[in-house]
Structure formats: C-alpha cells, structure tokens
Amino acid sequence: MVGILIRMKLVIIRHSMTGGKATWMVVGGVIGVALAVATIWLSLVETTHPTVVADLLAAVYVMWMLGWIVGPVWGGSTVLRVDHFALLSVPHRRLAVGLLGAAFVGITTAVTLLAFLSLIVYAARLGVVPALAAVPAVVLQLVFVVLLSRVAMVVFGVVAKSRIGAAFTGVLIAAMMVLAQSGWMVAAAIKISGVLTHGFGPGFSNAVRAIPSGWGLVAVESADRGEWWVTLGALAGLALLIVLLLLCWSRSLGTPRRARVTIRGSRNAKVSSRGLFAGNTGAVLRKELRTWWRDPLRTQTVFVPLVWALGTALLPLTFDAKLLLPWAAPALAVMAGSAASNLYGQDGTALWMTLLTGSERADLRGRQLAYLLIFGPITLIIAVVFTAWSGLTWAWPWVLAFVPAMLGGGVGLGALISVVALAPGPDAHKRPDNPLEHGDTTGQANLMFWGGLLPGIPAATFLTLGTVYDNAFLLWTAVPVGVATGVFLAWWLGRVAIRRLQVRGPEMLFLMRTGRSTTSVKIEIPKRSAWISVIGWTLGSIALFPQGIVPMIVLLVDVDVRSWFLALYLPGVLQWPTAVVMVLLGSYLYYLAIKVTIPKKPPTSPGDPDGDGMAESPVPPTGQRQELESVCAVSSEMRHQGDHP
C-alpha cells in the first residue's frame, strides 16, 4: 500500500512540475535548505553559557513545528487527497499508514530532516552516547511533525465550516505566521538582553522543552547526564504521541461526510438598486458582498491578512517599540491582495453563467468594488488610528500615500492574476469535507505579495526626495500621487483582466472543469536558463528588498538598526550608494530572470495557427458542443418566456 501511494505521488508531482509551479517549488526548496543549514550552524555555535545553544535549538524546533502546521493549511490540498480514496475497500488505519508513508516523499520532508540533523550534530559535541540517543529522537521528531500537520489540517477543516470557525481559523493561521516570521525580533532581543553570556531564564528553558518538539533535545541532554529513565521517557512520549495522532487521523479518514452549514440571509430585506448597486455591476456587487459575508472560505480570507498585519505591527510593542505601528495599514493592503488572488477559482465552474450572458465587464468590476468595500474602510481606519497612536508625525504622508496606491494596485493586480493564473478549485457544492482543501495558490499569493509592493514606487519617489531635501511640499505631493496610482492601476489592470476574460473565458472554464489547459503550447526552457531564472528571482529579491529598499527606509527615518543590512555596516559616505547599487542589482536580476524565460519566438498551438499570440477559442468535441448548444437553447427559451409571459 505504501509503495503504491508513493509511486502515485511521484507520478503526480512529475507531471505537475511545469511552468511557474516548478519554479516556486525550486525556490522554496532553496530557501528551505538555507534555513536548514542555518539550523545546523546554530548547533555548532560556541557560547560562554553551556545551555544557550540547547535553548536556541529548542526554540528553533518550535518554529519548524509551527511551519508544518501552517504550511499545508495555507498551501491548500495535498497531492494525495483523502476523499479520493473514500470508496476504496481499504481499512482506515492501513490507508492512514500508506498516506503517512507517501507524506515523507517530498521536498519539505527532506528539508525538515536536514534541519533536524542539527540535533545529532549537537549531541555529537556532548559525546557518543548522546549522539546514539539523538538518532531515534530525530526520526520520531520528523514523524511527529508530519503527522501533526495532517491532524491540524483535519481539525482546522472541521472548525472552518462555519463563519465563526473560519474567523477563528484565520486568526490562528495568521498568529502562527507572525510567530514564524518574527525570528529577527527574537534574535535582536537575544542580542540586546545579553542572554548569550548569562543564559536564558529557567522559565524559557522549561517552556521550549515542554513542547513536544523539544522532547528529542530532552532525551539527548538526559543521556549526557546519565538519566536514562528520562531519555527513555522522552522517546516513549514521542512514540506514544505519534500513535495517538495516527489513530486520530485514521479515524477521521472514515468519518462520514457531515452536513454542510447552511447560512441563510434575510428573506424580507429590501434590495437596494441605487448608487453603486445599480445596473449589472451593482447586481454583481450585491452578490459578491453576500458571498464575502456568507462563505466561510471568504471569511478566512478576510481575517488572515487583517490579523497578520496587526500582529506584525503590534509584536514590537513587547520591546516598547512603536516604529512598525504606522505600517500596519500598508501591510494589510498588500497582504489582502495576496489572500484574494484566486476569486474565480473559488467560485468553480459558476463562470459559465458570466460567459453565457456576456457580462464579463460587470462581473469583474463588481468583484473589484466588493473587494474595496470590504478591505478599504478597515485599512483606512487602521491607518489613522495606528499612525496617531505611534506619535510619529513624519509617517503621515508615507501612510496616506502608500495605502491608496497599494489598495488600488492590489485590486487591479488581484483581478488580473485571478484571470491569468487561475488555480482551479472545486465548486462550492462539490467542495471536499475539509473547506481548507482549495486550489494551490502558493505561487499566486507570493506574486501578489511582492508585486503588491510595486504600486508604491511612484509615491515613494516623492517621499524620498521630500525627506532628503526636507521639502514638505514634495512629501505631501506623494499623497495625491499615491491616490492617482491606485485609481489608474485598478482601472487599467481591471481593463486588461476584462479583455483576457472575454478572450480566454472558455479556456478558463475548461481548466476549472478538468484541471488542465485546452491548448497544447509547450515552451522548452534550457536548464541553464531555468537555473539563471531561479537564481535571479532568489538573489534579486534579497538585493532589492532587504539589502536595498529596507536600508533606504532605515537611513531616511534615522533608526540605529543594523541587523543583516550590508549598507548599514559601511562608513556613512558609502551607505546610500551601496543601497542604491543593491536596488539596481536586484532590478537587473529580476530583468534577467524574466528575460531568460521568454522564448525568442512565440510558440504556436492548435488554437493559434497564425502564431500571433491571439489564440482562438478551442472547438469542443462533438458531445460537449451538443451539450453547450442545448444549454444555450434552454437559456434562450427561458429569456424568451421571461420577456413574453
């Protein structure tokens, strides 16, 4: 059973590693390996206090555990979905063991195993006996995090069925994201507090070891002290926890499909048809607002970026630092776009009604208006309240310029990505029992997050010049520039998305029905160009943002923070030139990564015989064509009867 499922998973991965998905998989693997190597390096650090390295390792293992909980939930459904095997006459526990074995075949598992090898490296420093105890501890620790992610997926799915449960799930996911991304704050606090010299307090040490992710470390330390009963107890505790998780997971595989939560609206509510709610666009707007209010998946989409932005801005208050408070609103505007980058994929094949009625423009504009009505007021309130709370008066033009630019850019870019890079998902009435098993939007979300920062560049230019030359007029000119940028991008990118939806609508519908594209376009990219693209995207992101834009902001606000920013370690006269060079270098690497992936001659396909890039709509097979003609005839008859009762 295990071998069959492993071969099945490998075949699916091999056939799905195409285009952007393969690129994101490679980039994620490179970043994961870098983090794993950093974890191993931490186990080799020499400190004056004997328990500091062990305490840090235990804290890092907690971060890896949180990553396993959040990662599968955030990324969508797994490669082998449980509901695909529901009708097989296979015992649930045997199926659970098989799926668990297949779960170990993947990049994330290999990267995590590499990170957990740091426990063996640390144990080898203590002696041969602790190193021998570390080997089963690493194996048990890896099995534990993999099983925990599967059980967490089931638990979150059950909780997220209602709107309140979806909101709770979104809050929990966002909170774990904030904790997982805040390692630099922990590093800064550790460096400032001097614990590297004097050691952590007993409360912190006991807390990170009490969590199951630290039980392997407890076994190693106990073996070093000769406390064998503690070593065996820690390993037995991990094994018992694995058995309990496996039993819970196998029981969930046999749980019958639960009744769906029915969310009813008010039957007597008067429907408004004035202002924004007038016409076809207004009808779509009303439908979208009700969907945002009733659909648990949309509820989760609202709470994840909101809580993430608030948590990111509020966490530094634990160090009595208010520097990030004004940036909560721009962070929310950027993250909201990345969380709502697959609106058409969430609706499934309901797109056929839009195509049949020819209401593509009204549909997309209505979705954009609903997005702005949902996130716009929340973002503006947070911008005003948090900026006033911070007491940083210089931040007002920055916040008021960035918020409209990123909101407008996000609604335009999100609409375009929802059409161009659609991730097919199940229809609302065919969603699996776990509502979190949606289309894989990892690539779209990352593209939206980093691309959502670009609309702020025009306003940032005026803000930078106004700060450098101490010119209040340039500073406040950035506000109307940000508003104009947001309005233009929302209109222009929306227009491009409408045109794309009109031309490629049937292909999108076919993709959502079958999960595969209708065209047979195949672009062969040499391995050398593929590696150049991966390196360009990876190093370009590092050079442009953390080594270029972030040091510029730090220099502008005159904050005494160095962290890992190269420019801030150089003499004063070289800091600005270095930051500018990093921005130029990152931009050039981005350009190079995009250039090598674009073929010199556009490939042709059966739907594009002229090779002009404007593919014709594919001709469906005879059966599908007859079905479509029947649907059109029935729709025409219904409209005729509606006009002539």
Side-chain angles (χ1 to χ4, degrees), residues 119-120 122-124 126-127 129-135 137-138 214-226 230-231 234-235:
L119 182 60
I120 299 179
Y122 173 74
L126 301 179
V129 175
L132 294 177
V135 175
V138 168
W215 291 359
L217 182 62
V218 172
V220 169
E221 292 177 328
S222 301
D224 180 51
R225 295 191 300 266
V230 178
T231 301
L235 296 178

Coordinates of all heavy atoms in Angstrom, one line a residue, residues 119-120 122-124 126-127 129-135 137-138 214-226 230-231 234-235:
L119 N 20.2 18.2 15.6 CA 20.2 17.6 17.0 C 21.3 16.5 17.1 O 21.9 16.4 18.2 CB 18.8 16.9 17.2 CG 18.6 16.3 18.5 CD1 18.7 17.3 19.6 CD2 17.2 15.6 18.6
I120 N 21.6 15.8 16.0 CA 22.7 14.8 16.1 C 24.0 15.5 16.1 O 24.9 15.1 16.9 CB 22.6 13.9 14.8 CG1 21.3 13.1 14.8 CG2 23.8 12.9 14.8 CD1 21.1 12.2 13.6
Y122 N 24.6 18.5 17.5 CA 24.7 19.0 18.9 C 25.0 17.8 19.8 O 25.9 18.0 20.7 CB 23.5 19.7 19.3 CG 23.5 20.1 20.7 CD1 24.2 21.2 21.2 CD2 22.7 19.4 21.7 CE1 24.2 21.6 22.5 CE2 22.7 19.8 23.0 CZ 23.5 20.9 23.4 OH 23.5 21.2 24.7
A123 N 24.4 16.7 19.6 CA 24.6 15.6 20.5 C 26.0 15.0 20.4 O 26.6 14.6 21.4 CB 23.6 14.5 20.3
A124 N 26.6 15.1 19.2 CA 28.0 14.6 18.9 C 29.0 15.4 19.7 O 30.0 14.9 20.1 CB 28.3 14.6 17.5
L126 N 28.5 16.5 22.7 CA 28.4 16.0 24.0 C 29.0 14.7 24.3 O 29.5 14.4 25.4 CB 26.9 16.0 24.5 CG 26.1 17.3 24.4 CD1 24.7 17.1 24.8 CD2 26.8 18.4 25.2
G127 N 29.0 13.8 23.2 CA 29.6 12.5 23.4 C 28.9 11.5 22.5 O 28.0 11.8 21.8
V129 N 27.4 8.6 23.4 CA 26.1 8.1 23.9 C 24.9 9.1 23.6 O 23.9 8.6 23.1 CB 26.2 7.8 25.4 CG1 24.8 7.4 26.0 CG2 27.2 6.7 25.7
P130 N 25.1 10.4 23.8 CA 24.0 11.3 23.4 C 23.8 11.3 21.9 O 22.6 11.4 21.5 CB 24.5 12.7 23.9 CG 25.5 12.4 25.0 CD 26.1 11.1 24.6
A131 N 24.8 11.1 21.1 CA 24.7 11.0 19.7 C 23.8 9.8 19.3 O 23.0 9.9 18.4 CB 26.0 11.0 19.0
L132 N 24.0 8.7 19.9 CA 23.2 7.5 19.7 C 21.8 7.7 20.0 O 20.9 7.2 19.4 CB 23.8 6.3 20.4 CG 25.2 5.8 20.0 CD1 25.7 4.6 20.8 CD2 25.2 5.4 18.5
A133 N 21.6 8.4 21.2 CA 20.2 8.7 21.6 C 19.5 9.7 20.6 O 18.3 9.7 20.5 CB 20.2 9.3 23.0
A134 N 20.3 10.5 19.9 CA 19.7 11.5 19.0 C 19.2 10.9 17.8 O 18.3 11.5 17.1 CB 20.8 12.6 18.7
V135 N 19.7 9.8 17.4 CA 19.2 9.2 16.1 C 17.7 8.8 16.1 O 17.0 9.3 15.3 CB 20.1 8.0 15.7 CG1 19.6 7.3 14.5 CG2 21.5 8.4 15.5
A137 N 15.6 10.0 18.2 CA 14.9 11.2 18.5 C 14.6 12.0 17.3 O 13.5 12.5 17.1 CB 15.7 12.0 19.5
V138 N 15.6 12.0 16.3 CA 15.4 12.7 15.1 C 14.3 12.1 14.2 O 13.4 12.7 13.7 CB 16.7 12.8 14.3 CG1 16.4 13.3 12.8 CG2 17.7 13.7 15.0
G214 N 10.5 19.7 21.5 CA 11.7 19.8 22.3 C 12.0 18.5 23.1 O 13.0 18.4 23.8
W215 N 11.2 17.5 22.9 CA 11.4 16.2 23.7 C 12.6 15.5 23.2 O 13.3 14.8 24.0 CB 10.1 15.4 23.6 CG 9.0 15.9 24.4 CD1 9.0 17.1 25.1 CD2 7.7 15.4 24.5 NE1 7.7 17.3 25.6 CE2 6.9 16.3 25.3 CE3 7.0 14.2 24.0 CZ2 5.6 16.0 25.5 CZ3 5.7 14.0 24.3 CH2 5.0 14.9 25.1
G216 N 12.9 15.6 21.9 CA 14.1 14.9 21.4 C 15.4 15.5 22.1 O 16.3 14.8 22.4
L217 N 15.4 16.8 22.2 CA 16.5 17.5 22.9 C 16.6 17.1 24.4 O 17.7 16.9 24.9 CB 16.3 19.0 22.8 CG 17.5 19.9 23.4 CD1 18.8 19.6 22.7 CD2 17.1 21.4 23.3
V218 N 15.4 16.9 25.0 CA 15.4 16.5 26.4 C 16.1 15.1 26.5 O 16.8 14.8 27.4 CB 14.0 16.4 26.9 CG1 13.9 15.8 28.3 CG2 13.4 17.9 27.0
A219 N 15.8 14.2 25.5 CA 16.3 12.9 25.6 C 17.9 12.9 25.4 O 18.6 12.2 26.1 CB 15.7 12.0 24.4
V220 N 18.4 13.8 24.6 CA 19.8 13.9 24.3 C 20.5 14.5 25.6 O 21.5 13.9 26.0 CB 20.1 14.8 23.1 CG1 21.6 15.2 23.1 CG2 19.6 14.2 21.8
E221 N 19.9 15.5 26.2 CA 20.6 16.1 27.4 C 20.5 15.1 28.6 O 21.4 15.0 29.4 CB 19.8 17.4 27.8 CG 20.0 18.5 26.8 CD 19.3 19.7 27.1 OE1 18.2 19.6 27.7 OE2 19.7 20.9 26.8
S222 N 19.4 14.3 28.7 CA 19.3 13.3 29.7 C 20.3 12.2 29.5 O 20.9 11.7 30.5 CB 17.9 12.8 29.8 OG 17.0 13.8 30.0
A223 N 20.6 11.8 28.3 CA 21.6 10.8 28.0 C 23.0 11.3 28.4 O 23.8 10.5 28.9 CB 21.5 10.4 26.6
D224 N 23.2 12.6 28.2 CA 24.5 13.1 28.5 C 24.7 13.1 30.1 O 25.8 12.9 30.5 CB 24.6 14.6 28.0 CG 25.9 15.2 28.3 OD1 27.0 14.6 28.1 OD2 25.9 16.3 28.9
R225 N 23.6 13.3 30.8 CA 23.7 13.3 32.3 C 23.6 11.9 32.9 O 23.7 11.8 34.1 CB 22.6 14.2 32.9 CG 22.7 15.7 32.5 CD 21.8 16.5 33.3 NE 20.4 16.2 33.1 CZ 19.6 16.7 32.2 NH1 20.0 17.7 31.5 NH2 18.3 16.3 32.1
G226 N 23.3 10.9 32.1 CA 23.2 9.6 32.6 C 21.8 9.3 33.1 O 21.6 8.2 33.8
V230 N 14.8 9.3 32.1 CA 14.3 10.5 31.4 C 14.4 10.4 29.9 O 13.5 10.7 29.1 CB 15.0 11.8 31.9 CG1 14.5 13.0 31.2 CG2 14.8 11.9 33.4
T231 N 15.6 9.8 29.4 CA 15.8 9.6 28.0 C 14.7 8.7 27.4 O 14.1 9.0 26.4 CB 17.2 9.1 27.7 OG1 18.1 9.9 28.3 CG2 17.4 8.8 26.2
A234 N 11.2 10.4 27.4 CA 11.0 11.4 26.3 C 10.8 10.7 25.0 O 9.9 11.1 24.2 CB 12.2 12.3 26.3
L235 N 11.6 9.7 24.7 CA 11.4 9.0 23.4 C 10.1 8.2 23.4 O 9.4 8.2 22.4 CB 12.6 8.0 23.2 CG 14.0 8.7 23.0 CD1 15.0 7.6 22.8 CD2 14.0 9.6 21.8

